[in-house]
Amino acid sequence: MTCRDGGVILTVTMNPAYDMTYRVEHFERGRAQRVRSVDQRLGGRGINVTRVLNQLGKYARATGFSDHAFAAAAELEMPVDFVHALPWVRRTVVISESEDGSATALWEPGPRITEPHAVDQLRVRVDGMLSDMSGLVIAGSLPGGVGPDVPAELARTALAAGVPTLCDFDGQALELAARVPGVVLTPNVDELERLTGQPAGTVPEILAAVDGLLAGGVRAVIVTRGGAGMVAVTPDRAWTAALPKPLAGNPTGAGDAAVAALIAGLAGEAEPDWPTLLVDAVATSAAAVVIPVAGEIDRVLRERLQPTVQVEELEAVAVRS
């Protein structure tokens, strides 16, 4: 794979959101709740990845679909180039409890694309940046009117140009992306089970579940397991990585932070040092858990946690031809 160190990392968010965080002392179903404070910010998986990349000192740009108001607000915060194709932008609500640090998330489905040439416009934006791109992240759900084959198509185009590409979404779109040779997948356990139809509750089950994906040409599968850390599998090696003890807090942005660390390590590297990359991904993810809003990390905590991450190489995985 061509090394493109120093280029822009592009993130694609096709169904962005306004992220609302309600802080309460203790949340009880069926009762009126007094909210202590409210935060609203621009969100969506790729948007959050872009934010974390910028905090890690990487140059990242966000594209995808939005309405005019969302795009204008995003331009004040980060480099963006959105296709204005949504009639409105959905909201996600996280109820963060100060009593025990837990969080409950409510995700709206989002609107339907209204611009008939929106997907073609997005293709043009991605194609136009390929020569300057060091990495690509396609993340999050799809709005109505966008076919599940679109993420796979964008990934295939980027990989053909030598751009490391990471896909972080679910459902049929993930099934199609998993057929693209060279792609990196970052499912959680539930997403992996839906993708493969196999159990993935234990490390041996994860190894068995990803076997067919790697045999089909996937470059790597990094399975996120919440407080249990990650399992990363390439065609010939596999590792687990985790903190000695999980941190309590808001897990909403932890996966996005991990994706940011992973693409930062993959960008510009012909063959990454996977154990080192996993240490950074676990520490960065944990540094997001302690922040009540998605898309932010505690950089001091991240540095403090890195030496504590425990990486263990698993029994050799057969090399696939």
Side-chain angles (χ1 to χ4, degrees), residues 112-319:
R112 187 176 184 84
I113 290 286
T114 57
E115 167 56 54
H117 303 294
V119 172
D120 289 336
Q121 292 178 45
L122 181 60
R123 290 191 189 102
V124 169
R125 280 163 168 75
V126 175
D127 290 350
M129 292 187 62
L130 286 174
S131 61
D132 298 321
M133 210 184 296
S134 63
L136 174 66
V137 172
I138 308 168
S141 60
L142 301 179
V146 176
D149 59 323
V150 173
E153 178 189 343
L154 295 176
R156 188 174 287 106
T157 299
L159 287 163
V163 178
T165 301
L166 189 154
C167 291
D168 184 36
F169 39 79
D170 196 6
Q172 189 178 1
L174 180 57
E175 294 176 16
L176 296 174
R179 302 174 190 172
V180 179
V183 74
V184 176
L185 306 179
T186 57
N188 60 34
V189 170
D190 291 339
E191 291 165 346
L192 180 62
E193 291 181 343
R194 286 191 289 269
L195 173 62
T196 64
Q198 300 181 50
T202 66
V203 172
E205 288 175 343
I206 289 173
L207 296 179
V210 305
D211 186 74
L213 303 175
L214 296 166
V218 169
R219 182 183 183 187
V221 184
I222 298 97
V223 183
T224 55
R225 308 173 69 211
M230 303 175 185
V231 176
V233 192
T234 68
D236 57 347
R237 300 179 72 182
W239 303 265
T240 61
L243 292 174
K245 183 179 179 181
L247 299 182
N250 177 15
T252 305
D256 301 332
V259 166
L262 290 167
I263 196 63
L266 291 169
E269 296 292 337
E271 188 54 45
D273 179 348
W274 284 102
T276 300
L277 186 53
L278 291 171
V279 165
D280 193 33
V282 170
T284 305
S285 178
V289 170
V290 299
I291 303 294
V293 294
E296 299 286 342
I297 60 171
D298 184 328
R299 285 177 285 183
V300 173
L301 177 63
R302 170 178 170 265
E303 292 180 6
R304 196 167 75 237
L305 290 175
Q306 285 174 331
T308 72
V309 177
Q310 299 171 345
V311 178
E312 179 183 352
E313 184 159 6
L314 302 174
E315 187 175 342
V317 180
V319 178

Side-chain angles (χ1 to χ4, degrees), residues 8-13 44-63 74 77-80 82 137 139 256-257 259-260 263 295:
V8 61
I9 298 176
L10 183 68
T11 69
V12 179
T13 305
R45 286 191 187 181
I47 297 293
N48 292 332
V49 171
T50 304
R51 276 201 188 93
V52 175
L53 282 167
N54 289 332
Q55 291 171 70
L56 296 176
K58 303 295 182 180
Y59 178 54
R61 178 180 291 271
T63 189
E77 187 179 342
M78 66 188 75
V80 300
F82 282 105
V137 172
D256 301 332
V259 166
I263 196 63

